[in-house]
Amino acid sequence: MRPAILNPLFSETATLKGVGAALVRQLARLKLLRVIDLVFHMPVMAIERVQVEQIDESLVGRPIVVNLTVVRHDSGGPRSPLRVRAVDSGGQWVDLVFFGQSGAWARAKLPVQETRRISGRLDRYGQSLQISHPDVALPGEAMGPMLREPVYPLTEGVTNKRMGQIVGMALERAPDLPEWIEPSVLERHGWPAWRAALATAHDLRDEGRAKDRLAYDELLANQLALLLVRRDTRERRGRALAGDGRLTRPLVAGLPWALTGAQRRVLGEITGDMAQSSPMLRLLQGDVGSGKTLVALIAMLAAVEAGAQAALLAPTEILARQHFASISKMLAGLPVRVAILTGRDKGKVRLDLLDDLAMGRIDILIGTHAIFQEAVDYHDLGLVVVDEQHRFGVAQRLLLTGKAKAPPHLLAMTATPIPRSLQLTQYGEMDASQIDELPPGRQPIETRVMAVERMDEVVEGLGRHLAGGGQAYWVCPLVEGSESGDEAAAELRATMLKARFGDTVGLVHGRMKPAEKDAVMAAFSAGQLGLLVATTVIEVGVDVPNATLMIIEAAERFGLAQLHQLRGRVGRGSGRSVCLLLRGGDLSETAKARLKLMRETNDGFRIAEEDLRLRGAGEILGVRQSGEAAFRVADPERTAKFVAVARDDARLLLDRDGGLAGARGQAARVLLYLFERDAGVGMLRSG
Ligand code: ADP
Ligand code: MG
């Protein structure tokens, strides 16, 4: 249960004074639903006002604070604004202008012959100087807030002033919380206590250290949660699976090539884990084309040799079918029963398959999420492999291992090179292996950037490529904010290219019926189609070695990591491969620099680091929408700077404190709830 001390923070915004239904709705548009959301709604900058004794021309356009004496009220007509004429201490006239306010209001607030402290932006209007809708205070009043105003991200109908007030009320509700940070860490950085840090972060006066502290809090909560997940999983008794080689040996012997050194090394790490009874939690990274599928297959065969079943989870239907086809081919002649299950399999076929699975008549099941639905019962699931892991979050990973009586070993694979800081925050519960070597004979992909005006030339070149028996991909632009727009663009492009190249052109996009999609993919794999026009559905895993040309339209609209993934669809055979990035006109300097980086390097890690810097974690992990990768305060820079320390601090806390029982442990529980990582708390040993 959430510690009572946090309750004021988790109440709804409607509980704040003066926040009615309409405002609640407006705030909800910014995902500000509870007091805690407001507390972490940080200002982006502060407006600094200059305080002056006397006004002069040079101040026009600037926010100022000045003492003015009211001379006279001009009430104005029905359509014209209310004007209050005032002078500064040197006799300079200034008009204070109000739209939609009554004369009575103005007389009460700005009595004639009295002096008030006025704050607002000085403007010129014809011959006169004026300030519209100024803030008004008594001359002696504290002027802090009038001199500096934090500027908040806003939504329609909520002014910055109002937002500031609401956030202010939320901050007042924030209680003093017990300290969860290691005292030496706190001291080393000179960090303030939690509540003081919040106030400073909102005030934006020397807020650097305060924000560091708040980011660290979040990273610490994240690391604690991941380590709790890890500890809980590892402490459950799984099953040691040691293969005897009767399947893996003939498979490897039958391959036309040898395993790479990196493949052998990671296989050693994986089978080493599987031979232990505590369940494996391992992330396998390897750039596109590094041969992860084969590694997964060998691991799965080892599980089968040891008498267990294995499951391979793919993110898309296309990929599941392709894995099924290539794995079935590689296993030809071996006594292994492989099956596929996707959302499309229904009725009797599905029921029979489920029966076979439950009776242990299937050794390896390949499929989409359908393989982990409620009704799916395994006879004895020993190993789960998740392909293209970056699409799955921690919660989903937990679900996968929850399926079996004894938790299965888990191998997650991703082609996205993940920078170290991101690996810790997103996969911190897992061990990591890396395939850092491509199979021999691969030629680097040559990447070129071309202006879209040269489309004709590109189409000519494509024609020559197809005429020479080559195959190619044509990836269509993402249409901002509209999924159906993607497909329309792809259809249009396919129509144009069909008019030119005829029936050799195929089209796949996300909205097509699965069977149609498969048929097109199969025809392309078999070489019956020369050109595949597609949306990003081909992003992950599709493998057609004869396709050596890739054209990406409006490349500037894609993330770099995504471009790298797409590009990895070519360069899979021994032929020379080319990737053409078509770019629109009017690119920003950053956009140009990004495309240049794609041209210069094939190094997925460098590209991922750059994407992380420029676009944030969600872009790399492909979970921008789901919010899985989102932090409230820990930006990428601060994450890179502090996550390793947070990791150590979390580990120390758990190791030394056992079940977070001590005083700091209790504080850390509050922290987990504060950042809503409390799923991890359920895994705490009681006490
Ligand atoms: P990815 O890591 O992107 O999933 P794949 O597993 O699809 O890569 O492998 C890419 C291609 O490399 C496949 O055609 C596969 O058969 C081939 N391959 C895998 N291992 C080797 C190897 N050791 N030597 C040569 N080719 C290999
Ligand atoms: Mg793959």
Side-chain angles (χ1 to χ4, degrees), residues 73-93:
H73 287 212
D74 288 347
S75 47
R79 286 237 161 66
S80 54
L82 188 83
R83 277 177 189 278
V84 177
R85 309 216 67 197
V87 285
D88 72 7
S89 59
Q92 168 67 51
W93 285 96

Side-chain angles (χ1 to χ4, degrees), residues 10-28:
F10 282 88
S11 51
E12 293 172 11
T13 52
T15 61
L16 292 168
K17 200 164 144 261
V19 178
L23 190 50
V24 165
R25 267 195 308 279
Q26 285 158 340
L27 292 173

Side-chain angles (χ1 to χ4, degrees), residues 210-222:
K211 280 192 168 167
D212 283 354
R213 192 241 139 96
L214 297 175
Y216 185 83
D217 289 343
E218 187 163 38
L219 293 166
L220 183 62
N222 163 267

Side-chain angles (χ1 to χ4, degrees), residues 118-282:
I118 300 298
S119 164
R121 200 184 69 183
L122 184 69
D123 290 317
R124 152 170 300 297
Y125 184 74
Q127 289 307 309
S128 49
L129 295 175
Q130 69 172 38
I131 300 177
S132 301
H133 288 273
D135 287 331
V136 179
L138 292 172
E141 263 179 75
M143 53 188 181
M146 286 178 72
L147 278 176
R148 290 173 50 85
E149 187 182 352
V151 178
Y152 287 96
L154 298 174
T155 182
E156 213 187 306
V158 186
T159 61
N160 191 56
K161 200 167 156 191
R162 187 83 183 101
M163 184 64 91
Q165 290 166 345
I166 300 166
V167 170
M169 284 190 286
L171 287 173
E172 271 166 34
R173 288 239 189 132
D176 282 315
L177 295 178
E179 188 53 76
W180 45 73
I181 298 179
E182 170 78 36
S184 69
V185 174
L186 211 56
E187 198 172 321
R188 184 161 72 245
H189 296 284
W191 284 340
W194 181 71
R195 197 162 185 271
L198 265 187
T200 309
H202 278 275
D203 184 54
L204 287 175
R205 221 182 305 237
D206 191 21
E207 80 284 10
R209 262 187 286 178
K211 280 192 168 167
D212 283 354
R213 192 241 139 96
L214 297 175
Y216 185 83
D217 289 343
E218 187 163 38
L219 293 166
L220 183 62
N222 163 267
Q223 287 305 311
L224 276 171
L226 289 170
L227 287 177
L228 287 167
V229 165
R230 175 179 174 84
R231 194 175 70 183
D232 183 70
T233 313
R234 302 276 298 169
E235 275 176 1
R236 287 164 71 196
R237 216 179 156 64
R239 179 167 161 206
L241 297 175
D244 57 12
R246 81 191 132 82
L247 299 169
T248 51
R249 225 174 284 123
L251 174 87
V252 174
L255 293 172
W257 20 255
L259 296 179
T260 63
Q263 282 172 321
R264 266 184 280 128
R265 179 172 43 78
V266 301
L267 272 167
E269 291 162 359
I270 292 165
T271 51
D273 279 1
M274 287 169 61
Q276 310 292 317
S277 64
S278 67
M280 167 167 73
L281 284 171
R282 192 167 281 280

Side-chain angles (χ1 to χ4, degrees), residues 653-669:
L653 191 56
L654 289 180
D655 286 351
R656 200 176 40 196
D657 228 7
L660 292 186
R664 245 191 92 215
Q666 292 299 334
R669 284 172 199 259

